[in-house]
Amino acid sequence: MKAQSLLKVGAVTALLLGLASAYYYGQTPHPYQFTEVRFCPTTANKRTFGKYYNKPTQSQSALDNKYCRFKYRLLTEVWKLRQFNDVVSLPDGAFITSDLAPSENPSLWLLVAPAFVWMGYYCWAAKDEIDNESSFQRLEYFKTAIKRQGLITRTERDLQSHESERIKDKHKKDIDRRADNLLVKERYISLEELQQQYQRQSELEDLQFDNTKKQFAVADSVADKSIAENLRDKRKADAENINPSSETSQAPQGTSAQELVQLLKNHEGGWLWDVIESTKPVWVLGGQGSGKSSFAASIVMCRKAIFDWNITSIVDAHGHKNRAKAWKLLIPLEPELIGERNDYLAIGEAMDEAVQRWSDRTENDTPIQTLWDELTQLSMQDDCKESVKRFVRHSLTDVRKAAEYLVCIAHAFTNAASGNAEGFNDLRQTETIQIKRKSKNGRAPLNHAEISGLYDDDGNLIEDKRVTVPDWFYPDSLLRFISNR
């Protein structure tokens, strides 16, 4: 608050100084040649009567005090031409003159005014920035307090509800027991029959308990089976030196590649391995701070480490910012960075070249990788919106036969993100893999995600399956697999 007050005072002061400077230095005292004239007539005091008639000095002083003390400024040209003369000419000795040279306008000093105005603007802008940051922090604190209070209130309500249910259940049992005792007392039911009912109820509860134990046993056996299958796959992969599904790409024989493949296969049924080896375009989706860029970079690094597929280009309108962040570990792989500083014309040309490249390349060519960032905004840019439509349409059908592996990044898998390519909704869902990342408060990525586009063992399309992203699936952690190549 103190800094804001100081900045406000500084802004007002600088603005006032700027206005004062503009007014003061803009005034020109006298831009022309002037002559300063005083009328100082002399007298011999020849009067024989009146005041000072016999005192010449006092008479001259009184005359000077009446006329000579006043100064008049005339243009020098007017003075020299005697344009002020009356009918009766006055002697030159009656005037005292002095020349006044013209003064120049100090135009250089006028720069002081805009300097002060700029200082005032800067101070006010700094104050506004502090105000905005303070307002944002207060809003965040308020939202946090609301969420915390809501959580506390819900927890208390749930506890009260649970406690009420328990009390109600206890009261019900007490009422049932008293009712049974009353029935026995009134001889509506015998004690032996009541004991039989209790025994049957106890047997039913025992059966339910045994059934629950069997369900846990089945779950354990399924988990043991999955572990055994994973171990079998590991032994088989070690024996076969890791053969990926692509017929034209062989995994390197290095231990690092084998270790990475096992990590991918052993995580949650191997969904990460299915993504890495798939020929479908991979779309990484999510809001700000959800880890989209790091996940996309991790896919590229895994394919480089396992299959030695080079990344040839990164198309990113904000590439000049992401060089030192998201793509810092991909830059050493020497991709071409296209579209930096919002060069949407270059991005459109890159998309047109990609479509042409897919028509020229074949499945037998050396596989390559390309990464396309911020596709959400491209369909709204005039320089590339038509190219985005063609790019998305052809990517759904042409990339597999062109041996090019695409990784695309967008905020959401909407028509705008896919270039408003009409009539391709079904293909988008079935011929792409979509991985939706999420964040906490728009800043920290969460470790769970949703995946669509893969197929299960029965050939059914998987949609919005909840998965987790392991901590080691991050560019910094994966760097060692590339460094050991």
Side-chain angles (χ1 to χ4, degrees), residues 25 32 38 96 100 105 198 231 260 266 289 298 301 318 328 359 366-367 379 395 421:
Y25 291 115
Y32 307 106
R38 289 190 295 167
I96 298 177
L100 298 177
N105 184 15
Y198 286 158
L231 293 174
L260 177 57
N266 291 338
S298 299
M301 295 179 69
H318 301 147
K328 65 178 181 179
S359 65
T366 302
S379 61
S395 71

Side-chain angles (χ1 to χ4, degrees), residues 292 315-318 322 372-378 409-411:
K292 304 187 300 297
V315 182
D316 182 9
H318 301 147
N322 292 329
W372 307 79
D373 194 9
E374 290 295 338
L375 291 177
T376 310
Q377 302 294 331
L378 297 184
I409 302 175
H411 289 293

Side-chain angles (χ1 to χ4, degrees), residues 203-409:
E203 291 175 353
L204 180 59
E205 291 176 353
D206 292 340
L207 288 175
Q208 290 177 345
F209 178 74
D210 292 338
N211 186 33
T212 303
K213 288 178 61 178
K214 289 179 181 179
Q215 291 177 359
F216 280 109
V218 170
D220 291 339
S221 65
V222 171
D224 293 339
K225 180 181 177 182
S226 298
I227 294 173
E229 290 177 350
N230 290 336
L231 293 174
R232 180 195 62 195
D233 292 340
K234 181 179 183 300
R235 290 191 296 269
K236 182 178 179 181
D238 291 339
E240 296 177 357
N241 291 325
I242 314 302
N243 275 325
S245 61
S246 175
E247 298 178 358
T248 60
S249 303
Q250 294 291 327
Q253 301 300 316
T255 304
S256 296
Q258 295 179 4
E259 179 185 356
L260 177 57
V261 171
Q262 291 308 313
L263 286 173
L264 295 170
K265 285 188 172 181
N266 291 338
H267 179 68
E268 290 186 352
W271 70 269
L272 276 173
W273 171 251
D274 294 337
V275 171
I276 297 300
E277 70 167 356
S278 176
T279 59
K280 295 181 179 181
V282 179
W283 284 70
V284 185
L285 312 171
Q288 292 184 353
S290 59
K292 304 187 300 297
S293 299
S294 60
F295 191 91
S298 299
I299 293 175
V300 172
M301 295 179 69
C302 284
R303 288 172 169 173
K304 174 63 178 176
I306 298 173
F307 308 128
D308 199 23
W309 295 342
N310 291 325
I311 176 169
T312 59
S313 63
I314 299 176
V315 182
D316 182 9
H318 301 147
H320 57 290
K321 299 180 180 179
N322 292 329
R323 278 179 175 269
K325 293 183 179 181
W327 317 136
K328 65 178 181 179
L329 298 181
L330 299 183
I331 295 298
L333 302 180
E334 301 180 348
E336 180 184 7
L337 206 56
I338 302 173
E340 290 179 297
R341 302 188 183 279
N342 301 319
D343 190 356
Y344 296 109
L345 184 61
I347 293 176
E349 293 174 354
M351 289 182 167
D352 294 337
E353 291 174 2
V355 173
Q356 182 61 41
R357 183 170 63 246
W358 298 337
S359 65
D360 296 336
R361 287 173 56 86
T362 66
E363 293 177 280
N364 297 325
D365 290 329
T366 302
I368 60 174
Q369 300 187 74
T370 54
L371 195 153
W372 307 79
D373 194 9
E374 290 295 338
L375 291 177
T376 310
Q377 302 294 331
L378 297 184
S379 61
M380 294 181 285
Q381 305 300 328
D382 294 334
D383 291 335
C384 61
K385 61 182 180 180
E386 295 300 325
S387 300
V388 177
K389 290 183 180 181
R390 291 192 296 271
F391 173 85
V392 173
R393 286 198 300 265
H394 287 277
S395 71
L396 300 176
T397 56
D398 297 350
V399 292
R400 184 181 64 83
K401 295 182 180 181
E404 183 169 336
Y405 292 79
L406 271 65
V407 179
C408 304
I409 302 175

Side-chain angles (χ1 to χ4, degrees), residues 16 24 40 50 77 88 124 163 176-177 180 234 238 276 293 298 303 313 322 331 346 376 395 412 416 447 451 473:
L16 292 176
Y24 176 76
C40 299
E77 181 180 1
V88 180
W124 196 266
E163 184 179 1
D176 291 342
R177 185 172 61 255
D180 292 338
K234 181 179 183 300
D238 291 339
I276 297 300
S293 299
S298 299
R303 288 172 169 173
S313 63
N322 292 329
I331 295 298
T376 310
S395 71
N447 63 349
I451 187 170
F473 195 74

Side-chain angles (χ1 to χ4, degrees), residues 28-305:
T28 302
H30 47 88
Y32 307 106
Q33 181 74 31
F34 282 92
T35 298
E36 190 174 74
V37 181
R38 289 190 295 167
F39 178 51
C40 299
T42 58
T43 179
N45 194 14
K46 296 179 180 180
R47 294 176 297 172
T48 58
F49 61 91
K51 191 177 182 180
Y52 305 125
Y53 74 95
N54 59 349
K55 297 179 180 178
T57 303
Q58 288 86 343
S59 179
Q60 182 65 45
S61 176
L63 191 63
D64 289 344
N65 187 52
K66 184 176 181 179
Y67 297 104
C68 192
R69 64 189 181 93
F70 297 105
K71 298 178 180 179
Y72 302 93
R73 286 185 183 180
L74 297 176
L75 289 173
T76 302
E77 181 180 1
V78 174
W79 172 254
K80 289 181 178 180
L81 295 177
R82 298 288 181 172
Q83 295 178 0
F84 62 90
N85 279 358
D86 204 346
V87 177
V88 180
S89 298
L90 299 174
D92 291 340
F95 298 96
I96 298 177
T97 63
S98 61
D99 293 332
L100 298 177
S103 61
E104 296 181 356
N105 184 15
S107 58
L108 183 62
W109 284 99
L110 289 176
L111 297 177
V112 174
F116 277 121
V117 172
W118 180 85
M119 289 173 59
Y121 169 77
Y122 178 80
C123 291
W124 196 266
K127 170 191 167 297
D128 285 345
E129 185 175 355
I130 295 175
D131 288 341
N132 292 336
E133 180 66 21
S134 177
S135 299
F136 174 77
Q137 292 296 336
R138 287 198 300 270
L139 179 60
E140 290 299 317
Y141 293 153
F142 177 73
K143 292 192 292 185
T144 302
I146 291 296
K147 290 183 179 179
R148 183 185 295 113
Q149 185 62 38
L151 180 60
I152 293 173
T153 303
R154 286 195 299 271
T155 302
E156 292 178 352
R157 185 170 60 247
D158 292 342
L159 288 174
Q160 291 176 359
S161 177
H162 182 66
E163 184 179 1
S164 298
E165 291 296 329
R166 291 186 60 182
I167 294 174
K168 186 185 298 184
D169 185 59
K170 183 178 181 300
H171 287 173
K172 183 176 181 301
K173 290 181 178 179
D174 290 342
I175 292 172
D176 291 342
R177 185 172 61 255
R178 292 175 183 175
D180 292 338
N181 292 335
L182 183 60
L183 290 175
V184 172
K185 184 178 180 180
E186 298 293 335
R187 296 184 179 181
Y188 286 102
I189 186 174
S190 63
L191 181 61
E192 292 79 6
E193 186 176 356
L194 182 61
Q195 291 176 347
Q196 291 177 1
Q197 290 181 0
Y198 286 158
Q199 184 177 0
R200 287 195 297 269
Q201 184 175 359
S202 176
E203 291 175 353
L204 180 59
E205 291 176 353
D206 292 340
L207 288 175
Q208 290 177 345
F209 178 74
D210 292 338
N211 186 33
T212 303
K213 288 178 61 178
K214 289 179 181 179
Q215 291 177 359
F216 280 109
V218 170
D220 291 339
S221 65
V222 171
D224 293 339
K225 180 181 177 182
S226 298
I227 294 173
E229 290 177 350
N230 290 336
L231 293 174
R232 180 195 62 195
D233 292 340
K234 181 179 183 300
R235 290 191 296 269
K236 182 178 179 181
D238 291 339
E240 296 177 357
N241 291 325
I242 314 302
N243 275 325
S245 61
S246 175
E247 298 178 358
T248 60
S249 303
Q250 294 291 327
Q253 301 300 316
T255 304
S256 296
Q258 295 179 4
E259 179 185 356
L260 177 57
V261 171
Q262 291 308 313
L263 286 173
L264 295 170
K265 285 188 172 181
N266 291 338
H267 179 68
E268 290 186 352
W271 70 269
L272 276 173
W273 171 251
D274 294 337
V275 171
I276 297 300
E277 70 167 356
S278 176
T279 59
K280 295 181 179 181
V282 179
W283 284 70
V284 185
L285 312 171
Q288 292 184 353
S290 59
K292 304 187 300 297
S293 299
S294 60
F295 191 91
S298 299
I299 293 175
V300 172
M301 295 179 69
C302 284
R303 288 172 169 173
K304 174 63 178 176

Side-chain angles (χ1 to χ4, degrees), residues 467-484:
V467 294
T468 59
V469 179
D471 293 337
W472 53 263
F473 195 74
Y474 196 77
D476 291 341
S477 301
L478 297 172
L479 181 61
R480 65 187 181 93
F481 297 104
I482 295 181
S483 301
N484 293 333

